[in-house]
Amino acid sequence: MSYTTYAQQDSIVGYWLNKSKDAKIEIFKKENNWYYGRLVWLKDSLDVEGEPKKDVNNPEPSLRNRPLKDMILLKEFSKDRKQYTGGTIYDPQNGKTYSCKIRFKDRNTLIIRGYVGVPLFGRTTTWSRTSVKLEK
């Protein structure tokens, strides 16, 4: 019974708010057993012209017109004991993609570490578990 309880508590699948609580990400598992994260909600979802915000900082010009909503930010994570590794995180604020590790602080808090090269050279943030009801 304790193994089942731990497995349920360790589930990364669900909805998460970023640290500033202005974006919600849905983490899901694909058939290939990799985990992905999609941006499903933004507090300020419209630009100054009243249009949905776009990926304007993307280094690839052909992608700068795609909407931020429903964009895949986390890609190809696998579970490695108590953490999720091997994936990348995309930061639409600067248009960069980083290697990334994810682990639990507790059952409702994720520690996200994005880095270049080795984890020592990176930035850490926290996400908190939330419900589905944040649509705007």
Side-chain angles (χ1 to χ4, degrees), residues 91-120:
D91 183 349
Q93 292 182 340
N94 64 20
K96 295 184 180 179
T97 299
Y98 301 94
S99 297
C100 186
K101 290 178 161 187
I102 303 171
R103 66 180 173 81
F104 280 91
K105 178 179 180 183
D106 57 50
R107 64 177 290 207
N108 291 314
T109 309
L110 291 178
I111 306 294
I112 314 281
R113 178 86 176 157
Y115 58 93
V116 176
V118 294
L120 178 65

Side-chain angles (χ1 to χ4, degrees), residues 2-13:
S2 63
Y3 175 76
T4 304
T5 303
Y6 177 76
Q8 290 171 345
Q9 290 177 350
D10 193 51
S11 180
I12 195 170
V13 172

Side-chain angles (χ1 to χ4, degrees), residues 21 36 57 59 61 81 116-117 129:
K21 310 261 189 265
Y36 292 80
N57 296 316
R81 297 164 88 175
V116 176
R129 191 180 298 275

Side-chain angles (χ1 to χ4, degrees), residues 38-88:
R38 174 183 21 251
L39 181 63
V40 294
W41 175 82
L42 283 166
K43 182 176 183 181
D44 298 316
S45 61
L46 303 177
D47 63 19
V48 293
E49 297 165 358
E51 297 293 320
K53 285 188 176 177
K54 307 255 191 282
D55 190 16
V56 296
N57 296 316
N58 197 298
E60 180 61 46
S62 65
L63 297 177
R64 292 181 186 154
N65 207 24
R66 67 181 176 170
L68 290 180
K69 188 170 182 291
D70 294 324
M71 180 182 294
I72 301 294
L73 301 179
L74 300 173
K75 290 184 180 176
E76 300 178 353
F77 285 84
S78 60
K79 186 170 182 184
D80 180 20
R81 297 164 88 175
K82 293 184 180 181
Q83 63 181 346
Y84 298 82
T85 61
T88 60

